[in-house]
Amino acid sequence: MRKFIALVIAILIALSPLAAVTDLSNLSDEAKYEYITSSLSIQTKENSYSYSTGIGDMHPFGFYTASSWATGTTETEWIPYRGASEISKAEFFRLTGEEDLYNAFLEGMKTERAMHTAGWSIFGAGLGVGIALLITGLVLDGYEDSAIPLWCYIGGTAATVVGLAGLPLVYWEFDDNVSVSFAISLANIYNERLKTSLL
């Protein structure tokens, strides 16, 4: 049984992202297992975004010249784990006792959902009205002496543009603004308390 527990502990240590090196020699095998499966760790992921643009010119003698520019940004995202399982940031803040961050995160996620709902509503309504007016314009276009199609086309185009303006809300994301180093510090404090409770 002890060999099995030791094997499970070794596997969990290997799987745990950014597992802090902690001296567990004074814990029993069962306590070590409990520590490994309950301790917090932070995994990081880098997201890179690049933007490029260029211009070119064809010369009369048959050769082509071009210039291009590129810029990029990299963002580091942190993901909390409890043992070998990923948890939400809300759960991480709750476990570490950071009530203010926990409540701010829940409020931020609520705002994000509201933004997405508003964005989809604007997009759907604008696109629906725009398509309906454009189809109406096409249907009425065959009637003589009708000024309606012009207004249908203008209104349909305007409604579609308004609908497309809702797309930024669809992609709006809440940023909790908590740094990786702070999250790692919270995890380390939690893990020290956990270790003390298992002695």
Side-chain angles (χ1 to χ4, degrees):
M1 181 68 175
R2 287 189 171 207
K3 286 183 178 179
F4 173 73
I5 291 174
L7 176 63
V8 169
I9 290 171
I11 290 171
L12 288 174
I13 289 173
L15 292 177
S16 277
L18 293 187
V21 178
T22 304
D23 181 17
L24 303 178
S25 60
N26 52 353
L27 296 179
S28 67
D29 285 345
E30 289 78 10
K32 288 177 184 174
Y33 178 78
E34 177 66 24
Y35 178 87
I36 294 299
T37 56
S38 300
S39 62
L40 297 177
S41 57
I42 303 297
Q43 181 175 346
T44 59
K45 180 172 72 172
E46 289 195 356
N47 299 318
S48 297
Y49 306 94
S50 61
Y51 314 93
S52 61
T53 186
I55 58 171
D57 188 23
M58 178 64 81
H59 292 278
F61 301 108
F63 63 93
Y64 185 80
T65 58
S67 298
S68 64
W69 301 267
T71 59
T73 58
T74 301
E75 296 175 357
T76 301
E77 178 186 356
W78 61 272
I79 303 142
Y81 279 73
R82 188 176 189 194
S85 301
E86 182 179 336
I87 60 173
S88 69
K89 287 186 176 181
E91 178 69 4
F92 176 80
F93 293 137
R94 189 187 66 77
L95 286 171
T96 55
E98 292 293 324
E99 289 298 318
D100 290 342
L101 289 175
Y102 173 74
N103 292 329
F105 187 84
L106 291 182
E107 191 62 33
M109 294 309 294
K110 182 179 173 184
T111 302
E112 182 176 309
R113 285 191 295 274
M115 291 286 208
H116 292 177
T117 301
W120 282 117
S121 299
I122 293 169
F123 177 73
L127 202 61
V129 170
I131 290 172
L133 286 172
L134 291 172
I135 289 173
T136 303
L138 290 172
V139 169
L140 295 177
D141 209 9
Y143 294 95
E144 292 184 13
D145 302 327
S146 175
I148 293 175
L150 178 61
W151 290 105
C152 287
Y153 296 141
I154 293 171
T157 302
T160 303
V161 169
V162 169
L164 292 174
L167 285 179
L169 297 178
V170 170
Y171 294 104
W172 187 87
E173 289 184 0
F174 168 67
D175 182 8
D176 59 33
N177 252 348
V178 175
S179 69
V180 177
S181 58
F182 184 74
I184 291 171
S185 296
L186 289 179
N188 288 339
I189 293 168
Y190 175 88
N191 292 342
E192 282 301 316
R193 289 177 183 158
L194 175 62
K195 181 185 171 186
T196 302
S197 72
L198 294 172
L199 286 173

